[in-house]
Amino acid sequence: MEVTLSPHIHILEHKLNYIFKDKQQLAEALTHKSFKQPYNNERLEFLGDAVLDLIVAEFLFAEFRQKNEGSLSKMRASLVNENSFCKLAQSINLGDYLNLSVSEVNNGGRFKASLLSNAFEAIMAVIYLESGLDEVKRVFYPIMQREFHIHEELLPKDYKSTLQEYTQEVFGCIPTYEMLAQEGPDHNKTFTMQVKIQDTIYASASGSSKKTAQQEAARLTLEILQEQTTKL
């Protein structure tokens, strides 16, 4: 099977401080499905997401010994998401090495949060498969600590968790999310989600993934609830 890799892949390896052993699997991690090869990075992305979820949880567990489960969960959710992984991918210029179709490149694919996040998870999965969990930690932790000041109050907000806590306390239930629309081709979809609390629709929002749209809809809902509380 033909391996498609940038001739400058050694620059990426230098930034990661890691030399990949299996170049075919690395090519798979960097290949988007729009590139029309027998392989793409979706399976590796699935595995990488689970691996990063675990090692971020372990890092927070060891680093913040006084924090309870709720605080740790919020911190993990703020680090293990599309936007955070996109930022980490951008820090190593990962977009430069992606195998994309011409149309995807022309549509700004090298800069899309969803594509960068997925590829970042996929290359971490490759490191895990060929070198183990400790090696993923050695590569990932310095990147994470360089890009984020990991302190509970400084991390991005997890609006979904905040909204769920609020609705459980005030309404005695949890919010539900419904997809209103899914538009665009497979490699460039836009999702629109809405939030309902006890059959009342509060807000809707769009994003490049369901998670992103849900977070934004949750944020808007929290603003609406805050305004309603202020008027009381």
Side-chain angles (χ1 to χ4, degrees), residues 145-156:
Q145 290 175 289
R146 183 175 67 241
E147 295 301 316
F148 296 110
H149 299 289
I150 302 176
H151 186 278
E152 186 176 15
E153 284 70 32
L154 297 179
L155 289 172

Side-chain angles (χ1 to χ4, degrees), residues 68-75 152 158-175 177 197 218 222 225:
N68 61 27
E69 182 270 342
S71 295
L72 292 173
S73 293
K74 288 180 183 178
M75 295 174 76
E152 186 176 15
D158 176 17
Y159 296 107
K160 283 185 64 179
S161 294
T162 302
L163 178 61
Q164 180 168 314
E165 290 176 2
Y166 181 88
T167 56
Q168 284 178 316
E169 181 178 345
V170 176
F171 297 98
C173 66
I174 62 175
Y177 297 85
I197 303 172
L222 285 166
L225 292 171

Side-chain angles (χ1 to χ4, degrees), residues 83 157-161 163 177 191-195 202-224:
N83 290 334
K157 296 289 185 181
D158 176 17
Y159 296 107
K160 283 185 64 179
S161 294
L163 178 61
Y177 297 85
F191 300 89
T192 301
M193 307 292 295
Q194 72 176 12
V195 180
Y202 278 81
S204 63
S206 299
S208 59
S209 69
K210 292 178 185 178
K211 290 181 180 179
T212 302
Q214 288 172 349
Q215 283 286 350
E216 180 60 15
R219 184 187 69 79
L220 293 172
T221 301
L222 285 166
E223 288 184 357
I224 292 169

Side-chain angles (χ1 to χ4, degrees), residues 80-223:
V80 181
N81 61 60
E82 179 180 291
N83 290 334
S84 294
F85 290 157
C86 173
K87 183 176 181 180
L88 299 182
Q90 289 171 331
S91 75
I92 57 174
N93 300 118
L94 190 57
D96 294 346
Y97 308 95
L98 298 183
N99 295 323
L100 308 171
S101 67
V102 174
S103 62
E104 186 61 61
V105 172
N106 292 336
N107 285 327
R110 297 195 186 281
F111 308 98
K112 287 181 182 176
S114 57
L115 270 64
L116 290 171
S117 171
N118 290 348
F120 186 84
E121 291 174 324
I123 63 170
M124 292 297 137
V126 174
I127 296 172
Y128 167 73
L129 288 171
E130 64 182 30
S131 299
L133 201 60
D134 286 341
E135 192 68 1
V136 181
K137 295 177 191 176
R138 185 191 66 78
V139 172
F140 176 77
Y141 285 162
I143 301 173
M144 179 181 70
Q145 290 175 289
R146 183 175 67 241
E147 295 301 316
F148 296 110
H149 299 289
I150 302 176
H151 186 278
E152 186 176 15
E153 284 70 32
L154 297 179
L155 289 172
K157 296 289 185 181
D158 176 17
Y159 296 107
K160 283 185 64 179
S161 294
T162 302
L163 178 61
Q164 180 168 314
E165 290 176 2
Y166 181 88
T167 56
Q168 284 178 316
E169 181 178 345
V170 176
F171 297 98
C173 66
I174 62 175
T176 58
Y177 297 85
E178 298 177 352
M179 187 164 66
L180 296 179
Q182 180 179 248
E183 301 173 321
D186 286 344
H187 61 276
N188 187 26
K189 283 191 179 297
T190 297
F191 300 89
T192 301
M193 307 292 295
Q194 72 176 12
V195 180
K196 292 176 68 175
I197 303 172
Q198 291 182 333
D199 296 324
T200 299
I201 299 171
Y202 278 81
S204 63
S206 299
S208 59
S209 69
K210 292 178 185 178
K211 290 181 180 179
T212 302
Q214 288 172 349
Q215 283 286 350
E216 180 60 15
R219 184 187 69 79
L220 293 172
T221 301
L222 285 166
E223 288 184 357

